[in-house]
Amino acid sequence: IEDPLYLHYAYEHIYSHIGNRVLQRHAAAGQSLRTLFIGGGAYTYPRYQKTIFPNVQCDISEIDPKVTLAVNDAMGLADFPGDFNIVHSDARQFIMQSERDAQYDIIYGDAFSSLSVPSHLTTRTFTHDVARLLKPDGLYMINMIDSWRAARFLSAFVNTLDEVFAHVHVFSTLDGPLDDERATFVLLASKSAIDLDALGTRTNDFQGITGRPLNPELRRQLGQRGLKPLQTRQL
């Protein structure tokens, strides 16, 4: 609570490694900065971002007002000096009802029901609306949990992103083989090319946290999984 720059999870370090670079580039070009967070949770990353970029406008769609109340009371959000535009609404409604296009530099997806992203936040219709709200050089980053052995949900969502965005990359937060029962992945989607030079290497940018992009062959395998008929078994 005392250190808003502390990030614990590997996916947050991938967010910062890539997202900070995007915001720095946009700020240097004279653009006003605006980001949207799908899901508030502990408001950890919005606080981190506001500390690094005090002038960024952070919009946050958090479906449960009691989550925000708990974070205000127990996790120091009420005492944080930065301002947030917090809307207690389902993110799909918030995004679909937004009338202003091309307004966000980055949209962060971090909404979960148990261990899975709510399915209505992964549809083609929703993804088109996300793309509509991104600046031409904006970025959509989503945190997902799935088993690499199956990865059916991850694969299906990646294929949906491929239908909407010209550039889609998949990061694993693991440093070893992708054979764990469950792993965290970060998906990057954009209309314009993303500069991935030096990303995924074990550099100080990751501060000792693991993370790497899937190589082209693994990325191809992942896309194919979502195209195969689901195998069922008789009980």
Side-chain angles (χ1 to χ4, degrees), residues 117-150:
V117 177
S119 59
H120 70 291
L121 302 181
T122 63
T123 67
R124 186 186 298 110
T125 298
F126 179 78
T127 304
H128 273 293
D129 275 308
V130 168
R132 174 177 61 84
L133 296 185
L134 280 175
K135 295 178 180 178
D137 54 357
L139 179 64
Y140 182 29
M141 288 198 286
I142 312 99
N143 172 33
M144 288 195 72
I145 299 172
D146 203 348
S147 166
W148 178 254
R149 294 171 184 168

Side-chain angles (χ1 to χ4, degrees), residues 79-148:
D79 299 323
F80 184 75
D83 295 326
F84 303 110
N85 175 34
I86 301 172
V87 179
H88 293 117
S89 169
D90 182 276
R92 182 171 178 128
Q93 294 179 354
F94 176 84
I95 287 180
M96 292 182 70
Q97 292 171 0
S98 180
E99 297 179 352
R100 181 183 171 190
D101 295 346
Q103 58 182 310
Y104 290 110
D105 299 271
I106 305 176
I107 296 178
Y108 300 89
D110 197 10
F112 281 84
S113 176
S114 184
L115 294 174
S116 181
V117 177
S119 59
H120 70 291
L121 302 181
T122 63
T123 67
R124 186 186 298 110
T125 298
F126 179 78
T127 304
H128 273 293
D129 275 308
V130 168
R132 174 177 61 84
L133 296 185
L134 280 175
K135 295 178 180 178
D137 54 357
L139 179 64
Y140 182 29
M141 288 198 286
I142 312 99
N143 172 33
M144 288 195 72
I145 299 172
D146 203 348
S147 166
W148 178 254

Side-chain angles (χ1 to χ4, degrees), residues 1 41-44 46-47 60 67-82 84 86:
I1 293 175
Y43 292 85
T44 300
R47 283 187 267 189
I60 304 169
V67 168
T68 304
L69 180 64
V71 179
N72 275 324
D73 289 347
M75 299 182 185
L77 181 63
D79 299 323
F80 184 75
F84 303 110
I86 301 172

